Amino acid sequence: KKAIDIIDSLLNLTRIEKPAARPHDLKPMISEMLDGKDIPQAIRVSASFPEAPIRVMVDDQQLRIAVDNIVQNAVQAMEGQGAITVTVRVEAPDPAAAGRAIIEFSDTGPGISTEALEKIFQPLYSTRTHGIGFGLSIARMILEKNGGEIWAESRPGVGAIFALALPLAEGGETCRTAT
């Protein structure tokens, strides 16, 4: 079973196609992705979105895979109980730059060790005994193919934060907040 899972994950990693990116408003897209996840009742999920739409250029099906992997990892890290908070905001490095949308997933799990934090996006690396180690490497590949990036921060004993950055769609930002 584990060998088949590894082979399937390797195939998924190599099959990620060129994105069919189009403009999407993050608020309804992320809300729908979270609503479609099978999350244990003992895990509270909350989301914070700006009122104005944030439009990004992304392949929504590929982003769904990345979000699923991140949420699944959070659920497993919290061992079925805790909280996941999703925050969406716009980051503009300077007034002349187009900016990007940031989607942060924070959990109340144990956090990630410094050693693991350096390796978590590498294929075949897992902190779990039965983990295969492809979920976050697939998420990273998806974000990069869509012109974005992904990173993680750890708060030992408090939880972890996974952040996804995506380019804003042309004319797709109606609200800007500096970070």
Side-chain angles (χ1 to χ4, degrees):
K1 166 84 171 101
K2 188 167 183 170
I4 290 170
D5 289 344
I6 290 171
I7 291 168
D8 284 344
S9 293
L10 275 170
L11 289 171
N12 287 338
L13 188 63
T14 60
R15 286 185 192 144
I16 296 175
E17 298 177 6
K18 181 179 177 186
R22 348 175 299 213
H24 291 279
D25 181 0
L26 278 177
K27 182 177 179 177
M29 186 169 57
I30 296 296
S31 293
E32 186 264 324
M33 287 177 185
L34 292 173
D35 289 343
K37 288 292 298 166
D38 185 22
I39 297 174
Q41 286 187 333
I43 294 181
R44 295 177 321 280
V45 179
S46 62
S48 173
F49 302 102
E51 286 189 34
I54 297 179
R55 294 177 53 79
V56 294
M57 287 298 293
V58 69
D59 182 315
D60 61 323
Q61 296 304 316
Q62 289 184 358
L63 183 61
R64 177 181 304 281
I65 293 167
V67 167
D68 284 350
N69 286 331
I70 290 165
V71 171
Q72 179 180 340
N73 282 355
V75 168
Q76 290 172 348
M78 293 185 297
E79 297 179 349
Q81 62 182 10
I84 299 172
T85 303
V86 182
T87 306
V88 177
R89 61 185 167 80
V90 173
E91 175 183 84
D94 62 65
R100 61 189 186 166
I102 308 293
I103 312 161
E104 289 183 344
F105 296 85
S106 62
D107 66 53
T108 58
I112 305 166
S113 73
T114 303
E115 177 185 316
L117 201 56
E118 296 172 5
K119 300 176 185 177
I120 57 173
F121 294 107
Q122 296 175 6
L124 295 174
Y125 181 80
S126 179
T127 59
R128 294 187 307 272
T129 306
H130 300 291
I132 298 172
F134 283 108
L136 292 176
S137 58
I138 289 171
R140 183 184 71 193
M141 183 178 287
I142 286 170
L143 269 292
E144 289 174 354
K145 284 185 177 268
N146 279 275
E149 64 179 307
I150 183 173
W151 64 92
E153 299 172 16
S154 180
R155 304 166 297 168
V158 178
I161 298 172
F162 282 83
L164 289 63
L166 291 166
L168 292 171
E170 184 69 31
E173 172 198 12
T174 56
C175 116
R176 176 175 285 204
T177 56
T179 57

